[in-house]
Amino acid sequence: MSTTATKRTAEAETEELDVIIVGAGFAGFHLLDRLRGMGMSVQVFEAGNGPSGVWYWNCYPGARVDSPGPMYQFSRDDLWRDWKFSELYPSWQEIRAYFHYVDKKLDLSRDIRFNRRVNEAEFDPAHNRWSVRSSDGSITRARYFVLCTGLGSKPYVPELPGLSDFAGEHHHTALWPQQGLDLASKRVGVIGTGASGVQVAQEAAAVAAHLTVFQRTPNLALPMRQRKLDDDTIRRMKEGYPLAYQKRRTSFGGFDYDPLEKSASEVSEDERRATFERVWEIGGLAPWVGSFNDLLVNEQSNRAAYDFWRDKTRARIKDPTVAETLAPTEPLHPYGTKRPSLEQNFFDIFNQSNVSLVDLRKTPIERVTRSGIKTTAGEHDLDILVLATGFDAVTGGLTSIDIHGTQGETLREKWAKGVRAHLGMAAAGFPNLLFVYGPHSPNAFANGPTCAELQGDWIAGLLNHVRQRDWKRFEATAPAEEEWRAEVHALADATLFPRADSWYLGANIPGKPREMLSFAGGLSTYMAKCNESAERGYEGFTIG
Ligand code: NA7
């Protein structure tokens, strides 16, 4: 921390806690409850004016989760028994309502400081404490510092020449006005066709005077199969919850299902087709992670899955040129190696007369003008420009805080040379600091709430272990994080993921090291490794 900040420390420090948690999403909520229950003094600092993590910020039209509601909640029966989502894939409004419900039930808010963005933190080795400075000027000290900032908390806005000249409104999807923005009868432009772009485009197409979608890379989006859930359906679904929650703790992706125990390469053409059809009908992420187990490792199997997806998708698009842009004959990257979004009518909207598609690979953006976007092919007049351009994902939430460890460098500086994070939860040179859903954990490949619970419980176990022995300090060792990094990379290299320019690899952010940021070996294997370390007295950490 700067000298000025250090001086201020002496004046402004008022609170001394056991734990400071950053972020009031699933991970922050779970850990607050767990650690408070262990008798620790804990506070959550949250930048938003309310709980729910990404769902506080992502309130753009159509924002909804692409995990089914039963999986997108805590597994505690005292919580799920009295809660119901009205749709299979809940909207941001319902997820927010869920967080308020959990907050009330567990009385969490009394220990959450909203509107408090953490900017800087410094470890004091003499006292083994973190000093944490926030946007409101407050400085708080705590023994442990736990970051629950999620994988999409630092929005990415690309360099678009002339953006500030645009006369209409422009917003990144994750910085959407809390009061909403009416798209009705407006000329709307959407840059980006990830999950956010797909969702906002579907809504805009229904109400806008004209919608222009600017696509750089086709989204191999899968059918969401959204449906309303009536009370009777919910009651029947709940009968299966106990088993489903048990299953998700030991599954590959933190859901209540696993990939099939069969590869596409070992079955007949007929069986392959029938299976593709079956998982397509299930919809959601099933055609991606509930299908044959070799789709993401075997080139031929992957191509078969792509061709199936392409043909299904093209059948819905009338204009052959548009169809070729949205679902090209030859894939631009292997199927499923960029995050497939879930769509409801995304491919159908391009049959509407008020919707057009711009292929940025053929006609790139030259600049944003006062009245819209100028590509190499001409001008598109717009009233509203939606930047659905993604995030500095996985690491951005952590590296945007100036975290000063004991080696004279910040976490951002350390990771500028590539991520090193033992078990994806701790970094050498940063004692008493942990992160949930961080790099080199299964984050992008696992259901968020499941990770929040499992990693949260592991962290609670570590802190309990340290506290019971009255140890003051723990820290990941440098060899352990190097070994873990090598394992994460080796797992990725055995897959097709390195072949796509995805945010899984940090490839969407100019200058970010290109490397796999997620543990691709499955949540169950990951947790087994974490538990093994714990059983061996937290192998890979120095504790004392
Ligand atoms: P994503 O999935 O990172 O999507 C961002 C989109 O923005 C993607 O289509 C990008 O194209 C596009 N993009 C980024 N920069 C540019 C520029 N400069 N020009 C044109 N297009 C650009 O973010 P989302 O918010 O949609 O979803 C994030 C995750 O949230 C999602 O994966 C789920 O896990 C939930 P590209 O593909 O890079 O060519």
Side-chain angles (χ1 to χ4, degrees):
M1 219 177 278
S2 65
T3 332
T4 347
T6 320
K7 272 193 207 129
R8 225 180 293 145
T9 310
E11 295 154 21
E13 246 167 43
T14 49
E15 283 185 282
E16 186 91 21
L17 301 166
D18 289 326
V19 192
I20 292 171
I21 294 171
V22 186
F26 277 104
F29 260 36
H30 182 66
L31 264 170
L32 170 58
D33 186 55
R34 279 295 317 258
L35 300 180
R36 218 169 55 173
M38 283 160 48
M40 297 177 111
S41 57
V42 190
Q43 274 184 21
V44 174
F45 294 172
E46 163 58 53
N49 187 28
S52 71
V54 290
W55 304 107
Y56 177 78
W57 303 101
N58 288 269
C59 55
Y60 58 84
R64 64 179 64 254
V65 66
D66 46 20
S67 296
M71 286 292 107
Y72 205 69
Q73 57 182 295
F74 290 113
S75 63
R76 288 171 54 158
D77 63 353
D78 59 335
L79 293 176
W80 64 253
R81 275 193 201 289
D82 297 331
W83 179 257
K84 54 184 178 192
F85 284 120
S86 70
E87 293 176 308
L88 187 58
Y89 293 91
S91 65
W92 66 267
Q93 292 95 329
E94 279 210 309
I95 302 169
R96 272 200 197 177
Y98 172 71
F99 271 87
H100 285 291
Y101 156 80
V102 174
D103 177 12
K104 200 164 166 210
K105 201 128 180 176
L106 303 181
D107 189 19
L108 297 177
S109 276
R110 69 181 153 94
D111 290 314
I112 306 179
R113 303 290 168 267
F114 294 109
N115 299 305
R116 188 180 280 193
R117 181 178 288 279
V118 171
N119 292 327
E120 197 175 1
E122 184 178 28
F123 188 71
D124 167 6
H127 301 96
N128 295 310
R129 291 275 190 290
W130 281 96
S131 275
V132 174
R133 187 148 68 98
S134 306
S135 52
D136 58 3
S138 65
I139 295 174
T140 317
R141 279 162 66 91
R143 194 178 285 275
Y144 310 116
F145 187 36
V146 185
L147 296 156
C148 298
T149 46
L151 61 74
S153 56
K154 187 178 176 196
Y156 167 64
V157 177
E159 285 288 325
L160 292 168
L163 184 58
S164 57
D165 300 339
F166 183 56
E169 283 202 51
H170 68 272
H171 299 282
H172 188 282
T173 42
L175 296 168
W176 201 256
Q178 291 292 322
Q179 72 278 13
L181 180 63
D182 191 4
L183 306 180
S185 310
K186 300 279 179 11
R187 293 165 304 173
V188 179
V190 177
I191 301 182
T193 50
S196 308
V198 164
Q199 293 182 341
V200 80
Q202 290 174 154
E203 299 297 311
V207 297
H210 195 87
L211 165 69
T212 311
V213 175
F214 297 88
Q215 172 193 286
R216 188 165 68 181
T217 307
N219 187 330
L220 279 48
L222 303 170
M224 178 176 262
R225 310 250 182 261
Q226 173 70 305
R227 57 193 158 97
K228 295 259 178 237
L229 303 174
D230 59 29
D231 283 353
D232 205 39
T233 310
I234 294 171
R235 190 186 44 72
R236 273 186 283 109
M237 284 168 87
K238 282 190 174 181
E239 285 169 14
Y241 278 17
L243 213 56
Y245 290 133
Q246 209 178 312
K247 169 72 189 165
R248 82 175 190 179
R249 297 178 74 83
T250 55
S251 69
F252 187 91
F255 291 105
D256 53 350
Y257 60 86
D258 267 322
L260 304 173
E261 285 177 6
K262 253 185 199 177
S263 67
S265 54
E266 75 185 67
V267 300
S268 67
E269 177 67 38
D270 283 353
E271 184 176 347
R272 189 156 54 235
R273 171 109 208 148
T275 303
F276 283 156
E277 286 286 359
R278 191 169 56 74
V279 291
W280 190 257
E281 280 319 305
I282 295 170
L285 297 176
W288 184 44
V289 286
S291 187
F292 291 114
N293 60 14
D294 63 340
L295 295 190
L296 295 164
V297 294
N298 179 310
E299 217 167 310
Q300 283 75 38
S301 304
N302 185 283
R303 180 59 198 252
Y306 178 81
D307 289 351
F308 179 87
W309 171 85
R310 180 200 59 205
D311 295 348
K312 284 279 186 201
T313 304
R314 287 176 80 116
R316 289 163 58 186
I317 308 160
K318 288 186 187 139
D319 181 323
T321 312
V322 173
E324 182 62 22
T325 308
L326 290 167
T329 311
E330 292 299 314
L332 272 68
H333 55 267
Y335 172 83
T337 54
K338 284 177 78 126
R339 174 69 141 77
S341 308
L342 301 189
E343 58 85 31
Q344 300 183 66
N345 65 337
F346 179 67
F347 296 111
D348 312 297
I349 62 174
F350 295 97
N351 298 327
Q352 294 175 204
S353 58
N354 70 330
V355 179
S356 46
L357 178 67
V358 175
D359 182 351
L360 293 181
R361 285 179 190 252
K362 288 199 176 124
T363 57
I365 294 174
E366 279 186 347
R367 63 178 299 106
V368 182
T369 64
R370 213 183 129 62
S371 56
I373 286 185
K374 185 171 185 306
T375 67
T376 52
E379 299 230 12
H380 301 269
D381 287 343
L382 304 171
D383 303 310
I384 293 174
L385 176 56
V386 181
L387 299 165
T389 44
F391 299 87
D392 178 355
V394 188
T395 50
L398 304 171
T399 55
S400 57
I401 304 172
D402 292 332
I403 304 174
H404 303 263
T406 55
Q407 310 291 318
E409 61 182 359
T410 61
L411 193 64
R412 178 171 55 250
E413 287 160 349
K414 178 182 164 102
W415 286 353
K417 297 162 267 175
V419 164
R420 279 151 185 90
H422 183 46
L423 300 175
M425 285 192 277
F430 295 84
N432 295 4
L433 172 97
L434 293 159
F435 29 86
V436 183
Y437 225 52
H440 293 183
S441 78
N443 58 65
F445 300 141
N447 182 34
T450 319
C451 270
E453 289 184 342
L454 295 180
Q455 285 191 306
D457 290 349
W458 192 90
I459 285 173
L462 168 60
L463 297 188
N464 196 35
H465 178 85
V466 170
R467 212 166 54 124
Q468 276 179 352
R469 287 158 184 79
D470 202 25
W471 288 334
K472 306 288 180 245
R473 184 165 161 167
F474 65 84
E475 184 178 342
T477 69
E481 62 182 14
E482 286 300 339
E483 207 178 301
W484 187 253
R485 172 183 166 84
E487 185 164 351
V488 168
H489 287 189
L491 280 165
D493 289 345
T495 69
L496 301 170
F497 282 106
R499 303 235 206 126
D501 291 334
S502 67
W503 56 259
Y504 295 147
L505 303 170
N508 62 327
I509 302 296
K512 193 168 173 174
R514 186 188 177 98
E515 60 165 331
M516 177 48 99
L517 295 170
S518 302
F519 178 90
L523 184 61
S524 46
T525 306
Y526 168 78
M527 281 318 302
K529 285 172 188 287
C530 293
N531 294 335
E532 218 170 90
S533 157
E535 279 154 23
R536 294 188 185 152
Y538 293 93
E539 197 173 49
F541 289 85
T542 50
I543 308 187

